[in-house]
Amino acid sequence: GAVCGFFVPLISSLLTGMPPIFPTAPAMMLELCAYGILTGVFYRKLRWNIYPALICSMLGGRVVSGIANAIFYGMADKSYAFLSGAFVQAVPGILIQIIVIPILILALERARIISRERT
């Protein structure tokens, strides 16, 4: 998850121009990498329930996003509204993730496509 999270925004930026290559793409790369790492640690390694693992991963990713955006937007001499960008505007996406991801994970585990076993 961390590797995909890191490279997909860069590839998307290079192929489509979205997200913008700077300052958005590097911050998004770090944020999505954090989601992948934290979700793997909480859900697979620590064996947390899917909901706390998902919610804590989303919060941790947003902290990384806030720090990265503060740094990269500062370098670009642009302003960034953390609470608005990371939480207020993200509410629809947060709700969709809380509903869809647990259903998807349960279905993939039941189909034995993925396993929760420790690696």
Side-chain angles (χ1 to χ4, degrees):
V3 172
C4 286
F6 187 80
F7 286 108
V8 167
L10 175 62
I11 293 166
S12 176
S13 184
L14 294 173
L15 293 176
T16 69
M18 291 303 292
I21 195 74
F22 191 82
T24 309
M28 187 178 280
M29 291 166 65
L30 295 173
E31 175 187 9
L32 298 182
C33 182
Y35 288 149
I37 290 169
L38 293 172
T39 303
V41 168
F42 295 147
Y43 186 68
R44 293 191 77 192
K45 298 291 183 194
L46 299 178
R47 309 221 14 109
W48 286 12
N49 180 285
I50 187 68
Y51 288 102
L54 181 60
I55 291 167
C56 288
S57 296
M58 287 192 293
L59 290 172
R62 280 171 174 73
V63 168
V64 170
S65 173
I67 294 167
N69 276 307
I71 292 168
F72 294 130
Y73 274 74
M75 290 169 62
D77 201 27
K78 295 182 178 183
S79 65
Y80 176 71
F82 174 68
L83 290 178
S84 174
F87 293 99
V88 177
Q89 294 174 350
V91 168
I94 290 169
L95 293 176
I96 290 169
Q97 288 177 50
I98 289 172
I99 294 167
V100 172
I101 290 175
I103 294 168
L104 180 63
I105 293 298
L106 181 62
L108 292 171
E109 286 176 348
R110 286 198 177 165
R112 297 183 184 183
I113 294 171
I114 63 169
S115 172
R116 190 171 177 187
E117 297 301 315
R118 292 180 192 207
T119 55

